[in-house]
Amino acid sequence: MPTRRSRSAPVRKSPAPAARGGAALTVPALNAEVRTLDNGLDVIVREDHDHPLVSVQIWVKAGSLHEEKWTGAGLAHCVEHMLFKGTWKRSASQISQGIQELGGYVNAYTTFNRTVYWIDGLAEHTEGYLEILADMVRHSKIDAGELEKEQDVIRREMAMDNDDAGSVVQHLVQSTAFRQHPLKHPIIGHRAVFDQVSRDDVAGFVSRHYVPNNCFVVIAGAVNAEETFAAVQRLLGDWARRPYEPVLLPQEAPQRGRREGRKNFDTELTRVALGWQIPGESHPDKAALDVLAFLLGSGRSSRLYQELREKRSVAHWIWAGAWGAQECGLFNVEAECDPKDADACQKAMLEVIATFQAKGPSAAELAKAVRATIGGQVRTLASTKGQAASLAGSWLATGSLDQAQHYLASIRALTPAAVRDIARQYLTAVSSSVAIVGPDVEAVSSSSSQASEKGGLQRFVLPNGLTLLVGENPRLPLVSIRTSFLAGVPAETAANGGATQVSAALLLKGTKTRKVAEIAAELENLGGSLQCTADAHRYLIGADVMRGDEACGLNLIADLLQNATLPAAQLKEVQKRQIASIQEEKEDPLTVAMRHARKEIFAGTPFARTALGTEESVKALTVETCRDMLSRSLTGGNGVVSIQGDVKAADVRKLVEKTLGKLKKGSRHYEARSEHSTETKVKPGQHELRMDKEQAIIVIGFRTVGLHHADSLALSLIDEACSDMGSRLFNRIREELGLAYYVGAQHFSALGAGAFYFYVGTSPEKAALAQQEILVQIADLTKNGLTQEEIQRSKTTWRSGWLRAQQGNASLADAYGWSELNGLGYEHFRQLPDRVAALTDKDIRRVAKTYFGRTQAHIVTVMPEEKATA
């Protein structure tokens, strides 16, 4: 479902991976309690003392569908922005810094039927988080001057949407499928309408919708329920109830003919979307529609993935989903393909759907979907944020906290015939809407973490040199397995760049005992998922499974590692996909600027290249090159297996020895290079690039040091201080001066190499001023370091993030495996809090002075192409 987030692009929801034995397993009860205050405000509290964390959320039952005469203006989204701009009690910086001081992470999002404000952080500060959110929701100033600046920020966000092909095709399929209902409008709104909005219009929306009887609070975490209810009463009990009449939405007439929308877009890839009107979230058919979307377009074993990508090779990416509002929605199938394949891609989509309508799913496919739904529900409960969001979503949709159980009952009751009939009923040719975005398409005619303390982390070294890390965490019946092997950029050359990623993809193309479809379906049929990828340092092959299926996961991983056939016939398709990814990166101005800065900073070293390689190097790869890279990399002495979850270490060790003990011994692929070289063969300077985009990007990069160097952690803390909404960069450049939509920093740290980037996204006419101001801020950082207040906020936020990262088995398995693989030792992750706490202002000042000198800066700007004059 499209969602407008304050700090990121829209996201698409797709069904989560599956769970074994769906008919037998149940989703653990949340045991939450709901009370309603006298003013009509509903309060939901869930106690979970497994981690010292909390998620505090305020849900406003108003989104882009509720803008009435301003429908299509993006008022709800604009209000979301303005609530961070100050209250009668706090300035914008006091809001963000106050949350940071309490170790909280704040964000918000707007969608069709709600706006949600949330803070994740330390449970000891629950009332503090709630007090700040309550102040924002109740007492926002909606200052006219701040609104004017924020409107410019939102205009930049609109420009970013216009520069993103995925957003463009999503908006196009919405406007094609709907003619009356507000679902036809993007959540962010239309620029022409948005430009007419005044301060009174924004304040009026708040006054109309932000009332206690149209909102509710949900809090989940290590809290005392009675104390929490009392705190909500103190902070929100005197919020005056006001008359509220629900917004009446127009009814969308049934579609009686095929519709098509096309939009030209300067890109090397084409996006094709098909849409059908469907009933809304509360309709009895929604469960069947969700299962239908899962079976058609979720996971490697889905119908569309297997047919369009694996068999016909007409799509690089495919997805299906069913989303919308309470009263109506959209069944959406999207694909990304080469322009020449657009017609074949659309034709193949319809053929797959027609085949499904003729025969329906098999009993095994349907069982997989049921298990997948349960697995997704269980995984949601791994974090306090997920628990709160699940409870709140249920309450919003049905006014009940056990809606998930009723939904699962509807899923379990489905039969293959019922799902087939749903496809026949809704996915008809005469009711379809087609949206196509790509080059020249308009011209075409239509046709020491807490988890470690509880279970302990145990380390073993097998006879073949393979290191095994096991963490026992029986909280949920889930297990995450990660096997990683050093490879990537340092192991490649300019000639074979991208070989690690290409060979990782080839692992999935068949083994001596398994075909492609069997590999894709094996864990999905058990309610799990398979990961097989690579990054700048390593191969990463992993599995997320339900308890009891870890042997299945390890057997599959072992087969991929030891028996992959690497069929030559599949290499061309894998190369094609990787080249498409390289081309897609070229469409994003920030990525283009970052990549160019990286190339300059690391000139003459391996990290001047990226993990994807270049189009030329990828095209030149052979099966022999890939087989050689795998043979040299997938050895015991070069790898680490990290397993976290509901397991026993002794049992897991036996399984790993049985499945992976036959890997050849080998040795470590490469060691860390010099950790203190900040010299570069290219003299720092300024580079300007041109792209056919609306926005301007500025990236200022510096060569730093790698993972093992003592300064790396201080650089990470500076990154934390410069990237938050409470940072000096954000408050000065975005908030005070209104020069940018986004501004921040990024610390890159690899084996023997490091870089630090400052970046700004702005409008072309403000680019020079934005660059000047960020250089002023860097110079001040170099001279004076961070203030004690900034350091303390950053440390608190860092610790909160470090704790949040431990809520899931997958993130823990990856964190421990990454540290061990890179020679830091798994204990490194547990020691980080003490090392961060020990950093002083002198450490920060020295590090900033060492690496951020003006003469060391690589400045890259991306500007719109100059328009030819008549």
Side-chain angles (χ1 to χ4, degrees), residues 633-673:
S633 304
L634 304 184
T635 66
N638 191 49
V640 173
V641 181
S642 180
I643 300 177
Q644 291 281 328
D646 192 4
V647 296
K648 296 297 182 183
D651 296 336
V652 165
R653 179 178 180 176
K654 292 178 182 177
L655 276 175
V656 174
E657 288 178 336
K658 180 180 178 181
T659 54
L660 299 176
K662 293 180 181 179
L663 284 177
K664 63 182 180 181
K665 189 166 187 178
S667 60
R668 188 173 169 85
H669 212 328
Y670 52 81
E671 297 296 336
R673 293 163 172 81

Side-chain angles (χ1 to χ4, degrees), residues 640-827:
V640 173
V641 181
S642 180
I643 300 177
Q644 291 281 328
D646 192 4
V647 296
K648 296 297 182 183
D651 296 336
V652 165
R653 179 178 180 176
K654 292 178 182 177
L655 276 175
V656 174
E657 288 178 336
K658 180 180 178 181
T659 54
L660 299 176
K662 293 180 181 179
L663 284 177
K664 63 182 180 181
K665 189 166 187 178
S667 60
R668 188 173 169 85
H669 212 328
Y670 52 81
E671 297 296 336
R673 293 163 172 81
S674 171
E675 286 283 347
H676 195 59
S677 173
T678 58
E679 296 181 0
T680 168
K681 293 184 179 181
V682 176
K683 183 179 179 180
Q686 187 149 350
H687 310 267
E688 182 173 300
L689 310 176
R690 294 279 177 173
M691 293 181 68
D692 186 15
K693 300 292 183 182
E694 295 184 23
Q695 57 187 307
I697 304 293
I698 302 155
V699 170
I700 302 175
F702 300 89
R703 182 91 178 258
T704 59
V705 289
L707 285 171
H708 288 261
H709 196 280
D711 289 347
S712 183
L713 202 55
L715 288 163
S716 295
L717 200 63
I718 295 173
D719 179 359
E720 190 80 53
C722 293
S723 299
D724 191 86
M725 284 195 292
S727 74
R728 60 173 69 184
L729 299 182
F730 190 90
N731 285 319
R732 174 63 177 168
I733 298 173
R734 185 185 187 277
E735 302 295 282
E736 294 179 23
L737 300 180
L739 291 177
Y741 168 64
Y742 58 82
V743 57
Q746 182 181 109
H747 175 218
F748 169 76
S749 187
L751 279 173
F756 198 100
Y757 306 97
F758 298 89
Y759 58 86
V760 174
T762 185
S763 57
E765 63 272 14
K766 294 181 179 180
L769 287 174
Q771 178 177 315
Q772 177 183 337
E773 185 58 35
I774 198 167
L775 284 170
V776 168
Q777 295 299 318
I778 294 170
D780 180 69
L781 181 63
T782 303
K783 179 181 179 180
N784 302 311
L786 299 174
T787 66
Q788 288 288 351
E789 183 183 6
E790 287 177 306
I791 292 172
Q792 187 54 50
R793 284 204 315 270
S794 299
K795 286 181 177 181
T796 306
T797 305
W798 182 94
R799 178 174 175 269
S800 180
W802 180 83
L803 282 167
R804 291 198 305 274
Q806 300 171 58
Q807 294 187 91
N809 292 322
S811 59
L812 271 178
D814 199 47
Y816 286 129
W818 170 262
S819 295
E820 184 72 21
L821 184 72
N822 286 297
L824 296 165
Y826 73 89
E827 289 285 354

